[in-house]
Amino acid sequence: MTAIQRSNLLVRSSNSAIIKSMTQNKLILLPRPAARGRFSLEETIAKRRSVRTFSRGQLSPVEVGQLLWAAQGVTAKPGNFYFRSAPSAGALYPMEIYTVTESGLHRYLPEKHALELMMERDLRNDLSIASLGQEPVREAGLDIVICAAYERPYSRYGERGKSYVDMEAGHIAQNVHLQAVALGLGSVPIGAFDDVQVGKILGLPDGQYPLYIVPVGHVG
Ligand SMILES: Cc1cc2nc3c(=O)[nH]c(=O)nc-3n(C[C@H](O)[C@H](O)[C@H](O)COP(=O)(O)O)c2cc1C
């Protein structure tokens, strides 16, 4: 789907022992994110490179939790409001983050720092096919899919709101890439995929669109 088509649509409308991970009502509470890492910010920027070859193996809950915190975790809570790790025009936070792993499809809930189970099926192969067969999507332990609900930015900012959402996806993806480096992992931004196919595979609700896929995995 092209940006114009999307715009038109809008107009119309383990480790488990060391962590406190527990499953309750299909919610997986993620471990509290670390506030310090092994590398300086400057080192992570200098080390970041697109990595397209991963060794087999799943990511630990600690790693998944840290990556999702970097993507959209809550970093300040003045009163009843939740600010997240990446900037958002008007603090509208129109993004939904999904994880695709061996164990299934989950949605990240920033305020709970938890994963909600959406589908108990490994969708990485389907996602890779929808991404022009790109291997990193199939081979990564974790695919983070950044999706957007354009409605609120669109109603506040009009056409400009669409650009704001797309810009925000870049902020989120870069946070994930840098966090991956800081964890000793590799990642690559994937923009080449069939939006409609990816939406179907993930079962996205009306009004949500996939913008970016970030495979993350072990290197070497
Ligand atoms: C918007 C965007 C989309 C991209 N899509 C893909 C992609 O579909 N597949 C891929 O292998 N790399 C993709 N890349 C990664 C670029 O190829 C990569 O960033 C570039 O070659 C520079 O290398 P570096 O990331 O190691 O600095 C994308 C990068 C951006 C910013």
Side-chain angles (χ1 to χ4, degrees), residues 27-217:
L27 281 195
I28 301 164
L29 304 181
L30 292 163
R32 185 194 290 263
R36 286 178 188 278
R38 279 186 280 162
F39 305 114
S40 69
L41 176 61
E42 292 79 1
E43 286 170 315
T44 58
I45 292 171
K47 279 173 182 281
R48 187 211 60 80
R49 198 85 286 135
S50 288
V51 174
R52 297 181 178 83
T53 308
F54 303 114
S55 54
R56 292 274 170 181
Q58 304 311 303
L59 271 59
S60 70
V62 169
E63 290 166 332
V64 172
Q66 193 71 39
L67 289 159
L68 292 171
W69 171 81
Q72 281 289 267
V74 172
T75 49
K77 192 176 173 295
N80 290 328
F81 197 78
Y82 293 82
F83 282 106
R84 298 186 188 177
S85 54
S88 177
L92 293 178
Y93 300 118
M95 314 305 262
E96 291 286 347
I97 307 294
Y98 294 89
T99 63
V100 176
T101 63
E102 184 183 59
S103 58
L105 172 71
H106 293 81
R107 182 168 76 105
Y108 180 55
L109 307 177
E111 294 174 16
K112 292 191 165 74
H113 192 51
L115 285 172
E116 179 187 17
L117 178 65
M118 310 298 286
M119 211 187 298
E120 238 168 330
R121 207 184 123 209
D122 187 349
L123 298 171
R124 290 175 298 171
N125 190 45
D126 296 351
L127 205 56
S128 167
I129 292 167
S131 309
L132 318 182
Q134 295 193 68
E135 280 297 314
V137 179
R138 191 192 330 268
E139 300 300 328
L142 165 72
D143 288 315
I144 293 178
V145 188
I146 301 170
C147 299
Y150 287 90
E151 196 182 330
R152 277 181 303 143
Y154 201 88
S155 56
R156 184 179 296 185
Y157 300 113
E159 272 295 324
R160 193 77 190 147
K162 189 197 162 300
S163 306
Y164 288 168
V165 172
D166 296 344
M167 291 172 196
E168 186 170 335
H171 291 299
I172 294 170
Q174 184 70 358
N175 275 8
V176 172
H177 295 310
L178 295 178
Q179 182 66 76
V181 172
L183 291 170
L185 300 168
S187 66
V188 57
I190 299 287
F193 56 82
D194 182 321
D195 295 12
V196 173
Q197 277 308 315
V198 170
K200 278 187 190 159
I201 291 162
L202 302 187
L204 293 183
D206 283 350
Q208 261 185 46
Y209 302 90
L211 293 184
Y212 233 163
I213 301 174
V214 184
V216 187

